[in-house]
Amino acid sequence: MLGVAAIAIACDSPTSPRAPVNAPTTMSAAVLDNDDFETVTGPRGQAIAFASDRDGFFQVFVMRPNGDQQTQLTQVPFYNARPNWSPDGRRITFTACRYYEPSCDIYVMNADGSAQTNLTNNFSNEQMSVWSPDGRKIAFVSDRDWNSEIYVMNADGSDQTRLTYNYAVDQLPSWSPDGRKIAFETTRDGTAEVYVMNADGANPVNMSRNPA
């Protein structure tokens, strides 16, 4: 299990000096204690997707809102987690670190687990995928340029475009409801701050102004 823990930590925070703010208290505890976490409810409330290592490796599951019909969607070792629903509830993106691939990538699959497809498919670590409100774009985090930066791509994986440019850690992207802005966490000012930028990466603004 320790090898799995190392993979999980690498995928969830490949360049960050600390765990992402929406991760469990410690990643090692989540791996070693057989936790279920990273829950996300479907857009119409019809199902909840979540990650679990109940069978020894992190896999993506879905269940009814009342906890019934828990179904495993991914089967391949080592690490499949961070599920995110498409706005129409028909597809789910997730981060996968698989034994036959050299890195962690963003995958997409149908809501029933079929048609699992690698969208990023390179030698870097990609994670934290989030769908735009119209379902046409996916924002994500990558260290392909030797630093944790925010990227965006089309829903089919094409036109992967870097949005942030600095030597700090940029992570945890989140779309505005109208799809025109992206909020994210960054350490570019020396502490973890919440920034908002245009969906094309222009005009990043420090919103939290944390002096600590």
Side-chain angles (χ1 to χ4, degrees):
M1 287 298 296
L2 292 180
V4 178
I7 291 172
I9 291 170
C11 287
D12 262 288
S13 190
T15 57
S16 175
R18 58 187 180 81
V21 295
N22 64 345
T25 303
T26 61
M27 284 303 299
S28 59
V31 174
L32 299 178
D33 292 343
N34 297 320
D35 279 359
D36 301 333
F37 73 112
E38 295 179 346
T39 59
V40 57
T41 303
R44 294 186 296 274
Q46 79 281 16
I48 296 172
F50 64 99
S52 175
D53 72 337
R54 62 184 64 182
D55 295 322
F57 295 106
F58 273 101
Q59 303 290 350
V60 176
F61 290 73
V62 292
M63 63 181 173
R64 296 289 188 184
N66 64 0
D68 290 346
Q69 298 184 28
Q70 297 187 23
T71 304
Q72 184 173 334
L73 299 185
T74 60
Q75 308 290 335
V76 180
F78 292 106
Y79 176 91
N80 303 269
R82 290 194 170 276
N84 188 262
W85 292 90
S86 64
D88 62 6
R90 299 175 61 184
R91 291 175 291 173
I92 299 171
T93 56
F94 60 100
T95 298
C97 312
R98 297 185 165 179
Y99 70 91
Y100 52 81
E101 294 174 341
S103 61
C104 302
D105 286 295
I106 303 299
Y107 274 69
V108 67
M109 61 183 167
N110 293 332
D112 64 0
S114 63
Q116 297 184 23
T117 303
N118 188 337
L119 294 180
T120 50
N121 198 25
N122 61 52
F123 292 98
S124 301
N125 290 315
E126 274 81 35
Q127 56 170 323
M128 302 181 187
S129 57
V130 286
W131 294 81
S132 64
D134 63 6
R136 299 174 60 186
K137 301 283 187 179
I138 298 169
F140 64 100
V141 174
S142 175
D143 67 357
R144 64 183 65 183
D145 293 309
W146 307 104
N147 191 51
S148 177
E149 303 285 357
I150 308 294
Y151 287 73
V152 69
M153 61 182 167
N154 293 332
D156 63 0
S158 63
D159 194 24
Q160 298 181 24
T161 303
R162 182 176 174 179
L163 300 184
T164 58
Y165 291 84
N166 61 77
Y167 293 105
V169 173
D170 296 329
Q171 61 179 2
L172 295 170
S174 179
W175 294 87
S176 64
D178 62 7
R180 299 175 61 184
K181 303 282 187 179
I182 297 175
F184 62 100
E185 180 190 297
T186 180
T187 60
R188 64 184 64 188
D189 295 324
T191 59
E193 302 275 6
V194 176
Y195 268 63
V196 172
M197 61 183 170
N198 295 345
D200 63 0
N203 194 32
V205 177
N206 186 340
M207 302 299 291
S208 56
R209 301 189 179 95
N210 179 16

